């Protein structure tokens, strides 16, 4: 291990300092711990955990707790890099006024230096939550690629897109939506201080639960930049 950093944090909050009998007094506590490690291989690893509690006076009005745990790692490969993160959280309402939830999120991202002055990036993220009371589940998947390149001495091009898919199996609020965004921009350096950017884009949204809300649109953009 090249270096190690350990952090502890504690925060407490209380409202209704005037002790008004017409208001509920809320006490919130936040405790967190995190540890970051750097290895000789340039690998970075981080671990974290936190707990948030909220309790009212009286406690029958407010009494819940959220616990979160996280793990992150990153590794450079020459001019490239790769990062991974995981997070899990649990929400519990001791009064059963809100539904208990278990959630987790995983994401992966990377950057790549390509030949001929090109660069690329790719990211994917997935999250899901499960309702411990009614058994419903919510999930989300997002994929984001991008590419940039120098076309000649004055022109550069950028291309990127995002695909997002969300689902909810709740009987009261069901959803199944997929959205796609595709964009491209071309920038011309007119001088060291001025540039002109022209771009186009395409957006599409499909809703399997409510087909009438589907949307498709084409975008055209232009931008002039002048720095001084």
């Amino acid at each position: 291990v090249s270096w190690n950093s350990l952090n502890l944090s504690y925060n407490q909050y209380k409202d209704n300092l005037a002790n008004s009998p017409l208001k509920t007094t809320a006490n919130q506590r936040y405790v967190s711990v995190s540890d970051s490690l750097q290895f000789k291989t340039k690998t970075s690893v981080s671990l974290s955990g936190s707990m948030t509690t909220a309790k009212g006076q009286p406690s029958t009005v407010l009494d819940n707790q959220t616990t979160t745990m996280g793990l992150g790692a990153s590794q450079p490969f020459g001019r490239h890099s790769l990062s991974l993160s995981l997070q899990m959280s649990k929400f519990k309402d001791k009064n059963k006024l809100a539904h208990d939830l278990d959630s987790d999120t995983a994401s992966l991202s990377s950057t790549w230096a390509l030949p001929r002055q090109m660069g690329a990036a790719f990211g994917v993220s997935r999250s899901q939550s499960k309702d411990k009371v009614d058994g419903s589940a919510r999930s989300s998947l997002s994929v984001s690629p991008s590419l940039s390149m120098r076309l000649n001495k004055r022109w550069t091009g950028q291309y990127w897109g995002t695909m997002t898919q969300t689902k909810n199996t709740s009987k009261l609020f069901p959803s199944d939506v997929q959205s796609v965004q595709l964009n491209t921009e071309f920038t011309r350096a007119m001088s060291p201080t001025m540039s002109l950017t022209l771009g186009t884009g395409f957006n599409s949204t499909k809703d399997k639960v409510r087909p009438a809300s589907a949307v498709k649109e084409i975008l055209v953009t232009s931008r002039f930049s002048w720095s001084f």
Side-chain angles (χ1 to χ4, degrees):
V1 177
S2 299
W3 59 263
N4 180 34
S5 177
L6 180 64
N7 295 283
L8 299 173
S9 176
Y10 176 83
N11 187 23
Q12 183 168 323
Y13 166 83
K14 180 180 180 180
D15 61 6
N16 192 23
L17 299 181
N19 295 320
S20 171
L22 302 178
K23 298 180 180 179
T24 300
T25 301
N27 292 278
Q28 295 186 8
R29 291 184 178 90
Y30 174 77
V31 182
S32 68
V33 57
S34 63
D35 191 15
S36 300
L37 302 96
Q38 177 81 47
F39 296 91
K40 294 181 179 180
T41 57
K42 297 183 179 181
T43 303
S44 298
V45 177
S46 62
L47 303 170
S48 63
S50 67
M51 182 175 65
T52 304
T53 59
K55 194 170 185 178
Q57 295 176 355
S59 60
T60 53
V61 178
L62 176 66
D63 193 358
N64 60 59
Q65 176 178 298
T66 303
T67 305
T68 303
M69 299 180 64
L71 168 65
S74 63
Q75 175 67 57
F77 300 94
R79 299 168 60 195
H80 318 304
S81 66
L82 183 66
S83 300
L84 171 68
S85 66
L86 303 171
Q87 181 174 291
M88 295 178 293
S89 65
K90 293 179 179 291
F91 171 81
K92 183 176 181 61
D93 191 330
K94 298 180 182 180
N95 293 330
K96 304 301 179 183
L97 299 177
H99 290 192
D100 295 350
L101 292 174
D102 286 352
S103 305
D104 61 80
T105 302
S107 62
L108 176 69
S109 61
S110 61
T111 59
W112 306 89
L114 304 177
R116 299 182 180 180
Q117 297 182 302
M118 293 191 299
F122 178 80
V124 58
S125 175
R126 180 172 180 83
S127 63
Q128 56 184 7
S129 300
K130 185 174 182 179
D131 192 312
K132 303 297 292 292
V133 177
D134 61 22
S136 63
R138 288 173 288 179
S139 63
S140 175
L141 173 66
S142 179
V143 180
S144 303
S146 66
L147 176 67
S148 62
M149 64 176 65
R150 178 168 292 279
L151 304 176
N152 53 43
K153 292 183 178 181
R154 291 188 175 273
W155 285 93
T156 58
Q158 293 183 336
Y159 318 88
W160 72 95
T162 303
M163 188 281 291
T164 304
Q165 186 172 24
T166 59
K167 291 184 179 181
N168 191 343
T169 62
S170 170
K171 294 182 179 180
L172 295 178
F173 306 101
S175 65
D176 190 350
V177 180
Q178 183 183 73
S179 63
V180 177
Q181 297 177 336
L182 301 174
N183 299 277
T184 180
E185 283 189 351
F186 300 96
T187 301
R188 186 180 190 275
M190 304 175 67
S191 72
T193 59
M194 292 186 294
S195 64
L196 176 65
T197 300
L198 304 175
T200 61
F202 172 76
N203 297 334
S204 173
T205 301
K206 296 180 180 180
D207 192 330
K208 294 182 179 180
V209 178
R210 303 170 185 85
S213 62
V215 175
K216 289 185 179 181
E217 59 183 2
I218 296 177
L219 307 176
V220 178
T221 61
S222 63
R223 185 171 64 253
F224 177 78
S225 300
W226 181 23
S227 59
F228 54 92

